[in-house]
């Protein structure tokens, strides 16, 4: 099963730790679509043939088969093999006009006139994992905060204008369940102005598509928690034990995302659960190499960056990368007297530059170095700091849980609190306001 030593800072409390891990496994296992009961999965054949023509790198021509049944015949130490891309070729830095104001530095302002931007119960696509009010959360203050940058204002959210930007386009979120939360947020932000018979949600385990006919536009979500091909690419049936990735191929996902006009990527939490096994494309005998999570994430990020860099469509296409979403598992990090976590928190952290241990700085530096080399080909949505303040924004116990909770768990709510995902309406709406700001 999942490595127990991941959550290093929890060593002091083994019982809680194990409960938490079981919970994590559980969240991962159910992280997609279980709650969207309206859907019946139809497993389309991936359009591998027709999509091939769009792929920029000819070395992607061989679809790499890796799935949850993949096994390593043996495992060796990491050989040091790298992903080659334009390591030395630093692109021009972002222009001064883009740097004018750092919209990611600022503070949360209580503003119940402008927020929330939609009503939880009026969004038919809301997820039961994120609908906190529906699941019993009584204080709704988490819905009323507006993000206020220090030196300027965010572009004012405008549904009609956003639809105009999306007209005739495919916007695709690619990543894990946090990215999926942002996708649901955007669908909820935008769906109300489209008549019910002019919109649709077509589920398809790997790729889910929200379409709005009038605008000939779609807002899609592609499950790719590790960006590259892996044994965790089935959104419902993941393999939860060993993570096995193809460090040098994102073929499965790329064949879907290659036609999108606007791409929003994320990846992080899935790399935080211990060592990862690498199964290189050229390896024919199933021999894996083992590497720590951050090292493996770096290989995956470079494979992704290589695609972004070589994408000859980048004049028409916009690519965004969303930085790590913070977690609030350890109350003592913002309140030394606390034994708990995000459960019961109903106010943002006010300490300037507060940064919790869940957001790994070396990982951030690695990501920043890669993104810097992509220059203007990628726009960074640096949501980490602003979301760090929002210990009040998580579902904690106010979401649908898929397993039956034991009396022992129920008597100690923090033991099964979800302090990873975010309630909607809430923090991910602001990530989308930032997306709108830069689009
Ligand atoms: C907004 O919040 C203030 C202060 O908490 C309260 O007095 C007011 O009734 C609220 N307004 C709305 C529209 O909820
Ligand atoms: C709808 O958008 C697609 C691109 O997503 C485009 O190829 C197609 O021509 C558009 N159709 C109309 C009727 O505008
Ligand atoms: C995001 O912002 C933080 C400061 O809040 C900074 O340390 C980090 O390097 C930034 N990350 C990226 C990828 O720009």
């Amino acid at each position: 099963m999942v490595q127990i030593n991941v959550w290093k800072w929890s060593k002091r409390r083994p019982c809680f730790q194990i409960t938490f891990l079981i919970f994590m496994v559980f969240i991962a296992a159910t992280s997609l679509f279980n709650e969207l009961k309206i859907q019946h999965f139809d497993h389309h054949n991936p359009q591998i043939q027709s999509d091939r023509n769009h792929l920029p790198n000819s070395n992607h021509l061989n679809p790499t088969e890796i799935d949850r049944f993949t096994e390593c015949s043996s495992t060796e130490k990491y050989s040091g093999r790298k992903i080659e891309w334009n390591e030395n070729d630093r692109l021009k830095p972002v222009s001064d006009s883009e740097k004018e104001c750092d919209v990611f530095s600022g503070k949360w302002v209580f503003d119940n006139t402008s927020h929330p931007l939609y009503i939880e119960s009026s969004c038919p696509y809301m997820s039961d994992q994120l609908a906190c009010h529906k699941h019993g959360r009584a204080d709704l203050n988490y819905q009323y905060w507006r993000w206020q940058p220090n030196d300027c204002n965010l572009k004012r959210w405008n549904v009609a204008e956003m639809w105009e930007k999306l007209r005739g386009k495919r916007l695709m979120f690619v990543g894990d369940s946090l990215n999926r939360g942002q996708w649901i947020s955007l669908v909820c932000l935008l769906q109300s102005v489209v008549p019910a018979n002019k919109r649709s949600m077509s589920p398809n385990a790997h790729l889910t598509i929200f379409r709005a006919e009038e605008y000939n536009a779609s807002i899609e979500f592609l499950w790719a928690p590790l960006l590259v091909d892996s044994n965790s690419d089935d959104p419902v049936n993941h393999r939860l034990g060993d993570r096995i990735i193809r460090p040098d191929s994102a073929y499965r996902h790329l064949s879907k995302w290659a036609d999108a006009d606007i791409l929003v990527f994320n990846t992080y939490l899935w790399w935080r659960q211990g060592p990862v096994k690498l199964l290189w494309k050229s390896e024919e005998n199933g021999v894996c190499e083992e590497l720590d999570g951050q090292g493996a994430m770096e290989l995956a990020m470079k494979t992704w960056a290589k695609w972004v860099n070589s994408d000859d469509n980048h004049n028409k296409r916009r690519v965004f990368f969303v930085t790590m979403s913070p977690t609030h598992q350890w109350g003592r990090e913002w309140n030394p007297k606390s034994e708990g976590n995000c459960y019961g928190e109903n106010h943002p952290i006010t300490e300037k530059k507060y940064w919790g241990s869940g957001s790994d700085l070396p990982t951030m530096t690695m990501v920043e170095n890669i993104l810097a080399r992509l220059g203007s080909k990628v726009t960074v949505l640096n949501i980490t700091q602003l979301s760090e303040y929002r210990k009040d924004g998580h579902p904690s116990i106010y979401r649908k849980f898929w397993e039956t909770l034991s009396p022992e768990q129920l008597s100690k709510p923090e033991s099964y609190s979800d302090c990873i995902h975010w309630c909607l309406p809430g923090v991910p709406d602001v990530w989308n306001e930032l997306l709108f700001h830069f689009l």
Side-chain angles (χ1 to χ4, degrees), residues 110 112-113 144:
F110 186 85
N112 60 359
T113 53
Y144 300 136

Side-chain angles (χ1 to χ4, degrees), residues 248-304:
D248 51 348
S249 170
Y251 183 82
R252 177 183 288 131
H253 309 308
L254 182 44
S255 64
K256 304 271 188 197
W257 87 50
D259 286 333
D261 302 286
I262 302 160
L263 282 160
V264 183
F265 293 94
N266 93 322
T267 191
Y268 174 58
L269 271 184
W270 282 63
W271 301 103
R272 303 281 296 157
Q273 305 192 20
V276 174
K277 292 192 167 139
L278 316 175
L279 189 51
W280 294 89
K281 234 175 0 183
S282 56
E283 173 54 49
E284 282 165 8
N285 302 317
V287 179
C288 295
E289 295 175 4
E290 190 169 85
L291 183 58
D292 61 276
Q294 190 196 319
M297 176 174 169
E298 182 165 0
L299 294 174
M301 286 293 295
K302 285 183 175 170
T303 293
W304 168 82

